[in-house]
Amino acid sequence: MKLQSTDQRNTGRIFYLDFIRVIAIFLVILFHFLSGVESYGLLKNPDAFKIGGISLLNLGGVNITLGNYAVSLFLILSGAGLMYTYEKTFELKEFYKKRILTIYPIYYITFTAAFLVRIILERGMEHGAPVWTFLLTVLGIDGWIGEVIPNYGLVGDWFVGCILGIYLLFPLLRKGINQKPHAFMAVYALLFLLLEHFYPLAFPRRNDVFLRAFEVLLGMYFMKLNRKVTWKCVSVSVILLGIIFAVRIPWATAYVLTPVAGICLFLVLVFFSKWFEGERIKRVVFCLSRYSFPTFLLHHFLINTLMERFPKASLGIAGMLILFALCVVLSWAVGIGAKMLETLLRKNGKYEAVYAAYVSKAADIVVLAVYFGRFVFLACTQVPSFDGAMNLQVPVSLVRHGAYATNYHVTGLFASRIQTGAPVLLPIAALFKIFGIGSVQALMVNVLYIALLVFFIYIISRETGADRTVVLLVMGITTLLWGFLELSMGIYGEIPTLALFLGTVYFLMLAERKKQRRYFVAAGLFFGLAYLTKTVILIAAPALALVFVSKWLVEKKIRLTDVFLWLGGAALPVVIFEIYKLSSLGINAYFAFWSGQSDNILQQAGVRPGYEDTVGLLEKFRVHLDIYSETFNIQGAALIVILALNFVWFVYKAVKRKKLDYMDIVELVVYSYFGWWLLITPTEKAWGRRIIIGTVLLEWISAVKLWRMFDWVVSQIRPDDSKKIKVYAETFVSLFAALFVGFGAISYSMDSKRGAQELAAVVRQKAEEEQALICGYGWWHAPIISFYSGIDFYDLGRLDTEKVEGPVYFVGDTSWMTESGETEEDLPCPVELVYEESYTGQRLYLIK
């Protein structure tokens, strides 16, 4: 195969590169169209397109697919274009700057368009992908790694991530081709064959950057030789293409044949492109080539979107041709629109003022309204959690009896089973006193604490100079996070504890900025309230101590009396509540309470044995990492990387500053939480609920750092336009935050509340009309039905039914029916089913 030498180089665009690019786009659209027609079952008679079991729709032949030709052409084109541009002069920073500006803006625009279409058509978004994998979309590698890590990839398939990796290799490839082109090409070809034959990775070979870089290298080599393609070269290429198309070659894989077919087709198209160099054709080709990248990014998404909604078994030959023409026109039309939008955004200098005046405020209002609207909706339509209904016994008892007590079988003052403290339960009791007892009143306290959490995240972010958009992003991410909605709305204490703890951090910042010591008292007061809500917040004590020491001994910005003021503020609510507890229980019962409570706290924390645990520190780390991965749908390796990167960044900044700031408390608490949860807490207690505070804080600090990294990159690449670029980025982030908030978490079914209220009404009727005794079974049973009925249940396991004069009923609630594994035969007394509610199937039994 001989190439005729030429010394001529065009100074402008090379026609055959644009020509081949348009052909490649057409081929890849055709490939995905034909694949979709078969996979979606759109053909009326699939057998009509087969001869001897071979589908005529497979235009790639017997060895490789049509898609292999198209993608190989793209890669060879990329190499040829890069070599044409950078053979003589190459500046590393400018190269990557241009690549980033070529790839990412249009990629983000097309992804946003596809995301909006998916949200509108699907009325939501898929929830199978972990939240953190949206970072892969931000980096543009979601499709490339999608077969290994499920994510939110919508456009570009695997090609974008692969070509980004090849750009990282390009400086080395260019150096090798420029210095010793023949030897470098031969060595790389040998390495390519060896790696392809002995491929050791589970990663898809078609996505492997090193393997696919061989095709890029072929394009670079072609441009380096600076030869014209002769008819002899074309003849050999056509013969090879014919062999690859028609003759099955069992000793060569598709990954070896693809670059051979790609370079042969490339040479053929280079040769024949001169037949189409008329001025009109050139204008059309240049136009289509200019919009080829956004067309490529969107075509597969558009084809799938169309075919998902097309009637099955509805296409004949004419229908296929019409639908294919529609896919081609639509793909290029949308690609042109996306490119025009990018051009408009690049040139529009007025949007920055419009954003500051209107868009940013509108984004805040929309996200906040939807965010809190969802929580208010949940408060009105959902039941408390099982634990939350237990907790609600306390405010109900306060309203009815004036006692901080539970009422299941017997009254229990300050019962240890209550897992959420007074800062949540007392406001609920106040609302019960004012508006009556009801789940809406109770759950609205949760809504208020969520508002407090968002408020503190916002003002702390503002104090640290973080972009306001980060707050919207955190709000969006939290609605995607497993358990956040139910742990926020279930009368649980974790989110209120986090809100109160952030109040501590904020008032410490305020004390430093305003130099007023009263803020130390306020900061301590918030910590004391956080402790009363959940004692687990004591995990923040080491972080507070480290920062106090830094402020006192290193910076000398606080005095020891300031620390005592903080301690006094923290002790104040605790002392008041303990005095109330002491007066209610009496001295002996008070000390007995704390004796048992101390043991329980230490067991829960993993300091004392008493729960099932995993032997060995490394094994425990592995087991708990697997639990976290399964709970929050994130790969363990990804969690380790996220924690490690944050920690390295934190240490670097702390060493550079030679001090610790109050915001560092938040980050230190993250590491304390994960260290405790992964290495100390008992395996039996390694629930997602117990690490939710650490997870929310990790998302927050990661979002802040990601935005600051973006800010730095933009300022380095486009310093003159950095402010405008950040404004556009903020717009996109706000848009996605609104979409995450609106569609990112599935609301609970209203059937739970309807079913609970229906069964509670029947229970209440039995108790009032028949003077019946209502029972659960076990240490705590049917708290939700008990709450809605307003009746204190008895424990069937501790009740002598023969001594009860009236009828006795047993409530089989959802937890007993689905989680305990028990049946009617397991109860201590024979029962008869008398009622089954119509929503969730909970039952009422008569004790015989």
Side-chain angles (χ1 to χ4, degrees):
M1 190 184 301
K2 187 176 180 181
L3 303 178
Q4 182 179 323
S5 179
T6 177
D7 294 328
Q8 292 182 353
R9 282 281 185 112
N10 293 329
T11 57
R13 297 180 69 93
I14 302 179
F15 173 74
Y16 67 74
L17 293 182
D18 288 308
F19 177 76
I20 296 173
R21 186 173 290 110
V22 173
I23 296 295
I25 282 285
F26 180 84
L27 291 179
V28 77
I29 294 175
L30 178 60
F31 168 69
H32 284 133
F33 172 79
L34 295 176
S35 300
V37 163
E38 286 194 298
S39 60
Y40 286 103
L42 302 185
L43 298 175
K44 286 182 179 179
N45 184 13
D47 294 333
F49 296 89
K50 292 182 179 179
I51 297 179
I54 299 176
S55 175
L56 297 178
L57 300 180
N58 181 15
L59 300 180
V62 297
N63 291 294
I64 58 179
T65 68
L66 184 62
N68 291 100
Y69 291 96
V71 173
S72 188
L73 280 178
F74 277 124
L75 292 169
I76 294 169
L77 275 169
S78 297
L82 290 172
M83 198 62 186
Y84 174 76
T85 305
Y86 295 107
E87 179 185 357
K88 301 299 182 182
T89 59
F90 180 77
E91 203 282 312
L92 191 65
K93 182 178 178 181
E94 286 301 312
F95 170 75
Y96 286 122
K97 176 181 177 179
K98 187 173 182 180
R99 293 305 102 198
I100 288 171
L101 293 175
T102 300
I103 295 287
Y104 282 109
I106 194 65
Y107 173 75
Y108 291 144
I109 289 172
T110 54
F111 179 85
T112 302
F115 193 86
L116 289 171
V117 170
R118 177 62 57 86
I119 288 293
I120 293 169
L121 294 180
E122 303 292 339
R123 298 182 182 179
M125 59 183 293
E126 295 181 3
H127 303 278
V131 178
W132 72 270
T133 60
F134 199 77
L135 177 62
L136 302 177
T137 297
V138 174
L139 298 175
I141 60 174
D142 47 7
W144 176 64
I145 206 169
E147 294 181 43
V148 179
I149 302 174
N151 55 63
Y152 294 88
L154 290 176
V155 298
D157 298 327
W158 59 270
F159 184 82
V160 175
C162 187
I163 203 69
L164 286 170
I166 289 170
Y167 287 156
L168 294 178
L169 288 179
F170 176 73
L172 297 177
L173 301 179
R174 175 186 173 275
K175 186 174 181 181
I177 285 291
N178 270 337
Q179 291 183 351
K180 295 185 177 181
H182 305 302
F184 185 76
M185 192 70 211
V187 170
Y188 202 99
L190 178 61
L191 292 175
F192 166 80
L193 292 172
L194 289 173
L195 178 60
E196 194 284 326
H197 185 71
F198 300 103
Y199 195 71
L201 305 176
F203 191 74
R205 276 188 283 186
R206 70 168 186 178
N207 300 11
D208 188 277
V209 171
F210 186 84
L211 290 176
R212 300 319 295 250
F214 179 63
E215 290 155 287
V216 175
L217 200 59
L218 288 173
M220 296 172 64
Y221 186 64
F222 173 81
M223 295 302 290
K224 181 64 180 177
L225 292 181
N226 191 20
R227 304 288 178 88
K228 280 188 176 180
V229 181
T230 66
W231 68 268
K232 294 179 181 179
C233 172
V234 171
S235 299
V236 174
S237 297
V238 170
I239 292 171
L240 288 175
L241 286 171
I243 293 172
I244 293 172
F245 181 86
V247 181
R248 190 171 296 280
I249 307 174
W251 47 267
T253 66
Y255 303 104
V256 172
L257 294 176
T258 294
V260 177
I263 191 62
C264 288
L265 182 57
F266 179 82
L267 294 173
V268 171
L269 291 174
V270 169
F271 182 80
F272 286 106
S273 65
K274 60 187 178 183
W275 295 5
F276 300 90
E277 289 191 357
E279 283 302 316
R280 291 184 179 179
I281 296 177
K282 272 189 175 183
R283 284 198 295 269
V284 173
V285 168
F286 287 155
C287 178
L288 294 178
S289 177
R290 180 186 178 192
Y291 302 112
S292 61
F293 185 55
T295 301
F296 174 83
L297 290 175
L298 280 165
H299 81 278
H300 202 182
F301 172 81
L302 293 171
I303 290 172
N304 286 338
T305 302
L306 276 176
M307 291 188 174
E308 285 172 356
R309 287 155 181 81
F310 218 84
K312 293 185 181 298
S314 60
L315 292 181
I317 295 177
M320 279 184 58
L321 293 175
I322 294 171
L323 184 58
F324 175 65
L326 176 62
C327 289
V328 172
V329 172
L330 183 63
S331 297
W332 246 296
V334 175
I336 291 171
K339 186 66 178 178
M340 291 175 65
L341 177 60
E342 183 205 18
T343 304
L344 180 65
L345 293 177
R346 286 179 184 272
K347 293 180 178 180
N348 187 359
K350 299 179 180 179
Y351 180 71
E352 186 179 330
V354 174
Y355 174 82
Y358 304 106
V359 178
S360 62
K361 297 178 178 61
D364 291 343
I365 293 171
V366 169
V367 174
L368 287 170
V370 177
Y371 190 73
F372 290 111
R374 293 199 70 182
F375 286 112
V376 171
F377 174 78
L378 289 173
C380 296
T381 60
Q382 307 307 317
V383 298
S385 66
F386 181 91
D387 290 350
M390 286 197 305
N391 296 332
L392 286 179
Q393 285 277 318
V394 172
V396 169
S397 179
L398 284 169
V399 171
R400 290 178 177 168
H401 313 297
Y404 197 96
T406 58
N407 292 283
Y408 178 58
H409 200 81
V410 294
T411 299
L413 285 172
F414 303 95
S416 60
R417 65 175 63 96
I418 300 304
Q419 302 169 16
T420 297
V424 172
L425 301 183
L426 292 181
I428 293 175
L431 290 181
F432 283 175
K433 191 71 174 176
I434 299 170
F435 300 105
I437 296 172
S439 60
V440 176
Q441 296 88 306
L443 292 171
M444 283 305 297
V445 171
N446 279 132
V447 178
L448 295 175
Y449 269 111
I450 293 164
L452 187 65
L453 172 67
V454 172
F455 173 73
F456 279 131
I457 288 177
Y458 172 74
I459 57 177
I460 291 173
S461 297
R462 189 179 62 180
E463 286 284 328
T464 57
D467 191 277
R468 50 162 290 281
T469 313
V470 169
V471 181
L472 302 183
L473 184 59
V474 171
M475 292 168 65
I477 292 174
T478 53
T479 55
L480 296 174
L481 180 66
W482 171 90
F484 183 79
L485 266 71
E486 61 182 339
L487 294 179
S488 298
M489 295 303 301
I491 319 297
Y492 289 113
E494 280 74 12
I495 301 304
T497 300
L498 175 56
L500 293 167
F501 166 69
L502 293 183
T504 298
V505 176
Y506 172 68
F507 279 104
L508 287 173
M509 290 179 169
L510 212 58
E512 181 173 70
R513 179 161 62 86
K514 295 198 172 184
K515 296 181 174 54
Q516 295 184 17
R517 304 174 75 183
R518 57 179 175 162
Y519 291 118
F520 283 103
V521 178
L525 182 65
F526 270 90
F527 189 80
L529 292 172
Y531 164 79
L532 284 178
T533 306
K534 296 288 290 187
T535 56
V536 72
I537 201 60
L538 288 175
I539 204 169
L544 287 158
L546 283 172
V547 174
F548 281 150
V549 168
S550 175
K551 294 292 182 184
W552 175 35
L553 297 179
V554 178
E555 294 184 70
K556 302 186 184 304
K557 285 190 174 181
I558 65 171
R559 292 177 290 180
L560 197 56
T561 52
D562 296 326
V563 178
F564 283 117
L565 285 172
W566 180 87
L567 288 171
L572 181 61
V574 177
V575 170
I576 292 174
F577 188 73
E578 291 303 313
I579 291 173
Y580 168 60
K581 187 187 300 181
L582 177 63
S583 63
S584 301
L585 290 173
I587 294 178
N588 292 333
Y590 178 79
F591 283 105
F593 165 85
W594 269 114
S595 176
Q597 188 75 351
S598 299
D599 288 339
N600 183 49
I601 290 173
L602 293 175
Q603 282 185 349
Q604 293 277 351
V607 178
R608 289 186 182 176
Y611 298 107
E612 179 186 345
D613 209 353
T614 302
V615 178
L617 197 62
L618 292 178
E619 179 63 14
K620 187 173 187 176
F621 179 85
R622 184 193 66 78
V623 170
H624 289 203
L625 193 63
D626 288 343
I627 294 172
Y628 189 92
S629 300
E630 183 177 353
T631 302
F632 291 98
N633 198 15
I634 179 174
Q635 276 73 13
L639 175 65
I640 292 173
V641 169
I642 292 170
L643 284 169
L645 290 176
N646 276 288
F647 184 71
V648 169
W649 187 319
F650 167 75
V651 172
Y652 169 76
K653 289 292 185 181
V655 171
K656 186 177 180 180
R657 294 193 312 254
K658 297 181 181 179
K659 65 177 183 177
L660 293 174
D661 289 331
Y662 287 121
M663 184 60 187
D664 293 331
I665 295 171
V666 173
E667 193 148 355
L668 287 168
V669 168
V670 170
Y671 307 133
S672 297
Y673 249 104
F674 277 92
W676 163 72
W677 196 88
L678 291 171
L679 300 172
I680 299 173
T681 192
T683 300
E684 186 179 297
K685 298 294 181 180
W687 313 322
R689 171 182 164 190
R690 291 161 67 91
I691 191 64
I692 191 71
I693 291 178
T695 301
V696 172
L697 293 179
L698 179 62
E699 289 183 345
W700 181 20
I701 64 173
S702 299
V704 170
K705 290 176 181 176
L706 183 63
W707 187 267
R708 286 177 176 167
M709 186 184 301
F710 164 77
D711 192 359
W712 179 82
V713 169
V714 169
S715 64
Q716 295 297 310
I717 295 175
R718 295 289 292 270
D720 295 335
D721 296 330
S722 61
K723 193 171 183 180
K724 183 171 70 173
I725 292 172
K726 282 187 287 184
V727 164
Y728 287 127
E730 288 174 8
T731 304
F732 283 122
V733 170
S734 299
L735 173 63
F736 282 114
L739 292 171
F740 288 157
V741 168
F743 301 100
I746 301 174
S747 299
Y748 304 139
S749 169
M750 297 175 65
D751 288 348
S752 296
K753 185 171 184 178
R754 292 167 178 164
Q757 289 177 325
E758 178 184 313
L759 184 56
V762 174
V763 166
R764 190 163 52 248
Q765 180 185 19
K766 297 291 184 183
E768 292 174 353
E769 295 180 0
E770 302 179 18
Q771 299 299 304
L773 201 66
I774 311 298
C775 294
Y777 179 54
W779 72 278
W780 189 278
H781 186 80
I784 297 173
I785 308 300
S786 173
F787 173 75
Y788 279 112
S789 65
I791 296 171
D792 298 330
F793 288 7
Y794 287 82
D795 182 359
L796 186 61
R798 294 190 290 167
L799 184 69
D800 187 353
T801 56
E802 294 182 357
K803 295 182 179 180
V804 179
E805 296 181 359
V808 179
Y809 288 91
F810 165 72
V811 174
D813 73 342
T814 303
S815 61
W816 180 78
M817 294 168 57
T818 61
E819 298 175 12
S820 68
E822 295 177 322
T823 63
E824 292 89 338
E825 287 74 19
D826 297 312
L827 297 172
C829 307
V831 296
E832 175 186 352
L833 179 64
V834 295
Y835 187 81
E836 182 175 357
E837 54 94 348
S838 54
Y839 292 97
T840 57
Q842 299 175 107
R843 298 171 180 175
L844 183 65
Y845 297 91
L846 175 66
I847 305 297
K848 295 181 180 178

